Amino acid sequence: MSQIINVSNDENIIDFTTNYIANSLNKIALISGGKRPFLFIKKKLANVKQVSFFPPECFTNDEFVESIIFDNTNSIKISDLESSFIIFEIIKKDFPSLLKDKFSFLSFMDWSFEILYFIEQLDLEMISEDKLKTIKANAEIGYDVPESINELLKNIFKIRKLFHETLDKTSKTTRGYGFLKATSFNVDALSKGFDETILITPFYLYKTEIEIFKKLYKASNLTVFTQGNPKEYSTLENLYRQFGQNIPNVQSKKNNYKLNIYSAFDDQSQGALLKNLISGYSERQLDKTLIIVPDSQILQAVVSEVSSITDKYNIAAGYPISKTAVYCLLDNIIEAQLSKKDNYYYSKDVIKILINPLFKNMRFFQESSVSRIVVHKIEKALKQDSKSSLSGKTFISFQEILSDVDLIKEVSFAASKVLGSISSQKIVEVLNEIWESFFSAWENVDNLYKLSNTIVLFLEKVYRLSATSSYPLNVETIDILLSISKEMKLDSLCKVKFEKQELFSLFRKIVQDKKIVLPGSPLKSLQILGLLESRNLSFDNVFIVGMKDSSFPAIKKESSLIPKDIMYALGIEIAKKEYEIQKYHFNKIISGAKNVNLIYPDNDKDERSRFIESLIWEKQLAQKDLNAINASKFVLPKFPLKQFLKKKYKKTKEIKEYLSNLSYTYTKIDTYLDCRLKFYFMYVLLLDESKEIGQEIDASDIGNFIHSFLKETFHENLSSKEVQDLSFEQYFLDTLKNKFNNCVSFKFREDAFMIQEVLVHKMKSFLYYEKTRQYKIFACEKKYISNIMLKSGDAYSLESKIDRIDELNGTYSILDYKTGNMKTNIISKRHFENLKAFNRQDIKKAVNSLQLPMYKYIFEKSTNIKNSICGIYDIKKTDINLFPQEDVIYEKCIDMVKSLIEEISQEDYFEYDKNDTTNCKTCKYFYICR
Amino acid sequence: MSLAQITLMQASAGSGKTYNLAKRYLYLLLGSFDNIDIKNIIAVTFTNKAAVEMKYRILNYLKMAALSQDSINFFADLNLPPKDISRKSLLALQNILEHYDSFNISTLDSFKNRILKSCAINMDISPNFSIEPDYSQNLKFALEAFLHKSNTSQNIRDIILKYLDQYLTNDLGWFAKDNIYNEIEKVFEKSGSIGKDINFSRNNNFGKEFYLKVELVVKKIKCVADKIANLQINGHFLNAVKKVLLEGNRIFFSMNIPAKFAYQKLEYKNNATMSLEANILWEEIYKDVKDLCNFYMQNYYQIYSYMYHEVVKEFDIKSKKDAVVFLNEINKKTVKFFKDTDVIIPEVYYRLSEKYKHFLIDEFQDTSFVQWVGIKRFLDESLATGGTLFCVGDVKQSIYSFRGAKPELFYNMPKEFSTSSIENQHLETNFRSSKEIVFFNNEIFSVDNLQRFLNVIYEDLGEEVNFDKFLNTYRFSGQKIQDNKKSGYVEIDFIEKDCQDVKEETKQKFIKYVIELLNRSETKSIAVLCRSNDEILDISSWLLEKNIEVESSQTLNIKNNDVIKQIVSFFAFINSPIDSLAFSSFIIGDIFNKVANIDQAEFEQFIFNNKDNGSGFVYKIFKDKYENLWNEYFEYFFVKAGFIPVYELALSVLEKFKILENYPDSKAFVMHFLEIIKEFELQKSALSNFLEYFYNLSNQDDFLYIKNAFGNGIKVMTVHKSKGLQFPVVIIPFLKLVATNIDKPYFDDSKEEIDLLNISKSIGKFSAKANEIYNKERLDSLLSELNVLYVCLTRAEHEIYAIVPPKAGTSNNLAYTLFGDRSFKRGNKQKYNIKVTKNNYVCDCFNGGYKDISNNFINRKNTIVDIDDVKKRGTILHYCLSKFKIINGNLNDSIGKALEVAKRKFPFENTSFLKEKLQQMFSKEKILELFNCDGVIYNEKEIVNSKGEIFRIDKLIELDDKILVLDFKSSDYNFQENKEQLLNYVSLISEIYPNKKIIAYIVNLENAMLIQV
């Protein structure tokens, strides 16, 4: 005998179901929205029976219907991706105007999915085309259905028809179409041989499901347990009506739970608040505690905080594979393929792959040292300041790596030290193997089938040769990626050719939401679940975090394809349904609890959940008091917002000795002038950041290029006469062109021709300017060494490398090429004149740099040449900015140098000076300077 | 309530704007006779926060009324019996809570976003588009794509070369691409905020044409030079000509043209003989120069416009591919949507499933033109059908003109809606500030004072300018005070014009104020308002030097926190062990020193001693020297870190180095750091990417600042951030007023499309149009700056202090003039404290204890990937056997059927091995017999024991006298273990079938062997 039983809201549905079936002799099928309650029912049954037993068969709603479909048809259920591709093909053929300009599957895919989703809804809700004709001006906004929307609807109904035909032809089905077909099965097929089918607290059922269950109901096979007052939920009321039952008179019981509402400021703090709230719970209490996490974004924060007080928890939500090292390596490979130009890979991308730990620890010759050595040596070779032929390359080819004989030798040598003799040939073989799997194999992939094969090979290699199993999330990721790869070999889509970019985008879309199932015990321990996963469960203590209105309830407010009112008119009330479902489950879970704790983020962007608003109002109304309930705010202990004193560094005896033996250059002096700590880190500890591999060339690279070019063309002994010769110009420009073309870093920049234009322009200006000057080049990039005597009588050594020294009639011009922006005044007259004491801050105000006076000093002293002049050669403006020729200025500058060296070598500490903060933001020692 | 269709409410600072907005909303809802539903009202605010606050306020007023506790008589003007108000409020409240989605109070941008989402199909954008704030990567990509085209398109290459010609006339950097990007970015930004496209032409001959024009002018000037050589010409004219002769074309390219060419007539010395020929020629030159300058102004950016147009094409393609719409484009896209499609408002309403009749706009002065155009279509429709519009704002607080805000929309309303009735209202009472502050502001911002101020500065400039807009803005600036706010204090202090060190002087004055204030008040009652981050930096350092607590972008920035710096250093080392700087940074830090229990000096010495270690890396030497420390603290991370996702890595680092236990003061920073990692991991993964992301977070980025400060320091913030807020005491340490320079290019948006113009003071000398624009923009900019000052001076409740420096940059500080060169000291000082709210607090009392998520897997047995599908094949075979039954005694058909089912069940798996396997199995008679017996067969049968443990039996056959149990084993198995398992099954089954004999078999699927247990 079929029946509907309304179970009181505060009754535990697990207990009720167990009691109901415990003594039944029927062959029973249990159906519930989620699987979790079945575990509890089986456990409870064992408690009741006290002997072994065959439990009832349990199905989720979908499993039940799908098993019927599987048993009674020959069709295979296809993925949404394949379905949407079929829809795309139909539209392309018969409704091209819908595509607008989106001719590739990828560009139309989102719409294809929307249409599929809509068709699925039409199927699930058994909406016939006839229904379309009945849609009139029934929208609440009071307008007629616009023609454009009507037209679209008609087209979609036609697409649906063709879609069904295609599915039938190929013995395929979708969820919706399968459900639709199942409604036509006879009751024998639907009952699956069970004497009694029990639906545990269904709430919203599709029309197709209702049709199926109605048949069972009529055949006296179905028992339905409901919970909640049907008069409060139209969905529930509708359920009774559909089964032809009268609406029972259910008394809504007063809620007995204790309600607390809390706010915190972000996700992490909500997790921390939660931790504080449950910290006193015993293990037994934790077993009876549920944490609902409506939005997976906050899960990590919750788990991290909760894990510090218990390790006995169970999480229903998965962990995204996109965060794992395996996925990251795969993603890096894709990136490398996308940024590749001709046979050249972007060095930065190559390094990203190589330094991925899975790669770096791969075992060749049964040992992971070889791959580490390979990575290390290539990384080193690519560094800008290395001596390798690969140094500083923005793009590299495999051939270039192989051609670097020294590199191969170095790898072979280093590997031999660990593993015994390993020839260069062997190393080349290893490199070939690596390159094939991580680079070459991906180059010709142009469809999902090939991509799938390549990924499988890659995963095999990574799994077999690397330390994947040392971190469980990586193992799980490989498993998931392997099964995705299999699924990618779909019948209709796998051989379709794609542009590389599109193919990889498609792949990323396929995997983006994949998650690793986290192990745990669903029966015992603290439960961390989503709202729907908590269906039909009861807990004494319920916590809900992340209760912002956009995620709890989570409802898609806008409908991009078919307007909401049309959906209503057709009988598909998605948003309304979603809202009611969430409201129902929320009320159900809290009314079964003793303690309810709701946590929401209180910040500038989020709004707390309407469910909280309703509960607050309920309380306020009941107590007629606006202060009936107030939210408690989570705060961190007060923390000082005062200054942390920066460290100072003692000049130990050894350091002082080192400083007195140091050879001082103008950069050292200027650095000290800039910041004492910077000097300490840079020149005492010799710490320097390594320049990033594959970094796009910047102004300093242009500087190096020009320096090197000018050294080559404006070389030692060149005279202005030669420069003025017509053929020199030709040589000068040809050299520039050749040098530019041979620089790979320029080659792969899209704006290379623009840089070249600018360079030619500036160098031409330079040349014309040079033609107006008279000189013979005395020296070029030449190093000079000298020393300086301080008041104390101690001598300190000085050195300099001067870009260029011109000579004319016994007068020497010391020139320093500058390609960057320059301050116009080398000294600030006002501060210079007012300079009394030679302290660092005042010197800093008076001079920009002590480079020129130091050059002059070192040059004159080391060569015994007097009366030299010096200046900065501004390459950008083609102008020479001379240092003031007054001796008094020069001498004062040298005194400054002396004073600074004295300070460096004599004072006891390197200390932070608050007046030096101007460049802190961009200083490379920002992190060490504390 | 106003009966007019349009109500414009001017609400000066502190006059209860939000109160009135809420009142309007609720009066519409409760006071109407035509069933106004929440669905028909829409209120738009400037920020999310304001929207949420507004919602809470409305709910609160309704609750008060519903419970008959309306102590402020909020609904008095409705003139309804209290019972009715209570009943109506209750219903309205229930309606709102039940239909919360229709409680339409949001920002204008999110309203537009809804339109875009709902109408995506009409707009040809992806239904799943996301809104992204930062377009720079896509714009850079688009520029690259455009440049890439130049490899194949000669036309594009020519265009770029022409651009380069123009570029090279200026002394710019080596990378012309950067210049293009910067210009394009400006245009993109502006085009988004104005909502119009850029006018462009394919004729890109500016350079050439301009050159020809210059040539001609210079030729004429040379000619006039000959003619005037022997004439007694005014010296200035002569010098102007000489300058051209000396410098040639260059002065025209740089627009450094001598002013005398702006004079139509050639001037002579007294009584000198004139030359008609020279005069005619001069007039020609005058006209040519004028023409030249107009040409320059109009066409200089021609080539940029064209390139912009091309780059944006690429940008749109990319955005479409990525299914992304940028924040900056939302409004423009909506406007374009209405313009380009034939969609009518009813269709939009249909798509939104809502219809609005009543519109409320908050902060109306900050509404930009493009936002207005987007909403106006709706207003036209609603006003025509009896709807209303209510705008509230304050033109004096319009400080977002740089983002396109158009406060003049307030005044344009009669023009915009000529057939609607309009009512202007002014809120006159200041509920925020004390008497002295209100009176002071009334005086400074009075029209008389402003008129005087403008007269003085424009008298100096000698220009005639129309001040109407400026003065109109402050027409209603005078405010009344609330009766109970009698006292208050204002002090405006000037720094002497001849002061040698203004900054030092400012510092001294500022610190003096603060120290004096702290004798009377708590730090948290003081707010310091600045204009720039650099000013904030200075103020923060000054206060910190005095050991005063500060909440500013400096102290709350997690990048500046020592603990975070050390964690980041550690991350950097783990990411790249060869990074010795990062490693050293970590080992000389407190975190490591503390856990290692070794003095920092030792590690400093260690680094110093090993600085010249050749190719070796510091960490390697450290590893050798401090083996134990290495093993304890580094080895795990060194080997494993790369396998661990960043967030989990951070947790492990916090635990290993006991960071929260040892540095509880930094907890807020650490938690925010975790939050940042979490946000990062929503988009990307891997430590190297995280470091790149973190390094690139700009100090301008709000995301870097912890926002949960307990409020115990002096707040230092920008004026823009302070808008809408109030504080007991406000200090403005750098009070400046100066018109900013006019931006280049200038965006002339007076037509359908935007023209990019080159406007400057020097061009203005020769071009009337440029001059007019220049003057107008300067005055607008001055007004905008004055508004900022107004906002600054109206934040305080009780006391306000300001220090006025003589200069603002290189210009004179016009605030001197505004205050009439007078310093102010008014009122009385008192003791003020911030009211403590009634909130209950839960204070965090944990430090650390974090665990990496992989701990969850510790007990999981299987960590082996089924790379060869061995397990999978077993599963498939199990399934296939469960579906196998003998059909009509035909083994082949039966196998075929089972295969078919298995293939359907596992469509993506290789099932080709099955046939052979089944044939092999069923070639064994005994096995076949078991599958062909007559009993009741259960496959994959679950059995639960008395403890509730669940077991699954592969096949169970119930015969009259016995039960057969079959366990399939597909790969290597442990016989003994399996036997025990089967015996356990037997014992469980015997509880169910106590009277039957139970026989158990292991079926070895590998070799088709049947073993009875």
Side-chain angles (χ1 to χ4, degrees), chain B residues 356-369:
Chain B
Y356 313 125
K357 205 167 171 192
H358 303 283
F359 288 77
L360 287 78
I361 307 179
D362 187 16
E363 304 276 14
F364 190 56
Q365 79 283 352
D366 290 329
T367 308
S368 69
F369 180 70

Side-chain angles (χ1 to χ4, degrees), chain B residues 462-707:
Chain B
E463 282 163 11
E464 273 184 33
V465 182
N466 184 342
F467 301 140
D468 288 354
K469 181 181 162 193
F470 198 106
L471 296 174
N472 266 340
T473 303
Y474 284 86
R475 200 149 48 103
F476 302 103
S477 61
Q479 285 187 288
K480 292 178 185 157
I481 52 160
Q482 220 189 347
D483 293 343
N484 59 351
K485 299 209 165 170
K486 292 260 188 286
S487 58
Y489 184 75
V490 178
E491 184 167 341
I492 310 289
D493 203 351
F494 289 76
I495 290 180
E496 296 298 323
K497 289 188 176 162
D498 56 358
C499 173
Q500 283 296 304
D501 196 337
V502 174
K503 201 166 169 182
E504 187 55 36
E505 183 71 15
T506 309
K507 179 179 169 182
Q508 297 309 329
K509 283 182 189 288
F510 171 74
I511 293 294
K512 199 182 94 198
Y513 285 147
V514 173
I515 289 174
E516 194 273 326
L517 273 164
L518 289 181
N519 289 328
R520 293 181 284 127
S521 306
E522 290 177 276
T523 42
K524 63 185 177 190
S525 52
I526 304 172
V528 182
L529 304 185
C530 301
R531 284 305 299 275
S532 67
N533 280 331
D534 283 344
E535 286 182 5
I536 291 179
L537 202 70
D538 280 335
I539 293 296
S540 304
S541 329
W542 295 348
L543 290 170
L544 290 171
E545 258 175 54
K546 295 282 166 199
N547 218 15
I548 296 168
E549 297 206 10
V550 185
E551 283 176 38
S552 75
S553 51
Q554 192 194 14
T555 57
L556 300 179
N557 181 344
I558 72 160
K559 271 194 178 177
N560 290 336
N561 178 272
D562 282 359
V563 167
I564 301 300
K565 280 184 173 186
Q566 291 175 70
I567 300 174
V568 172
S569 297
F570 184 74
F571 274 13
F573 160 65
I574 288 299
N575 181 52
S576 173
I578 62 176
D579 186 345
S580 296
L581 171 57
F583 183 71
S584 306
S585 170
F586 184 70
I587 62 167
I588 60 168
D590 302 337
I591 291 180
F592 184 61
N593 298 162
K594 207 155 195 168
V595 289
N597 200 16
I598 290 180
D599 191 54
Q600 172 202 333
E602 180 174 334
F603 292 127
E604 280 170 41
Q605 190 65 32
F606 164 79
I607 298 165
F608 176 72
N609 291 343
N610 294 292
K611 61 187 180 304
D612 282 325
N613 61 62
S615 61
F617 299 108
V618 179
Y619 84 90
K620 281 193 171 166
I621 308 161
F622 180 91
K623 192 176 168 184
D624 293 339
K625 184 168 164 98
Y626 299 100
E627 200 185 339
N628 290 341
L629 285 178
W630 175 268
N631 289 337
E632 171 69 24
Y633 293 105
F634 294 94
E635 181 66 16
Y636 171 80
F637 294 109
F638 188 72
V639 176
K640 288 270 183 75
F643 297 125
I644 310 176
V646 189
Y647 185 90
E648 308 302 327
L649 175 69
L651 297 183
S652 306
V653 170
L654 293 178
E655 278 317 278
K656 177 53 95 181
F657 295 101
K658 299 190 183 342
I659 292 174
L660 287 176
E661 288 91 321
N662 290 337
Y663 301 93
D665 283 353
S666 287
K667 177 154 193 173
F669 295 87
V670 170
M671 279 177 62
H672 193 64
F673 186 61
L674 288 175
E675 187 80 13
I676 287 181
I677 301 177
K678 191 209 74 190
E679 286 295 318
F680 156 80
E681 285 196 322
L682 294 177
Q683 306 291 332
K684 280 178 133 189
S685 56
L687 188 56
S688 55
N689 292 333
F690 172 71
L691 287 169
E692 202 175 308
Y693 165 82
F694 188 75
Y695 293 149
N696 287 334
L697 280 178
S698 137
N699 285 345
Q700 315 289 342
D701 202 328
D702 258 8
F703 196 33
L704 274 177
Y705 305 110
I706 51 169
K707 301 207 176 65

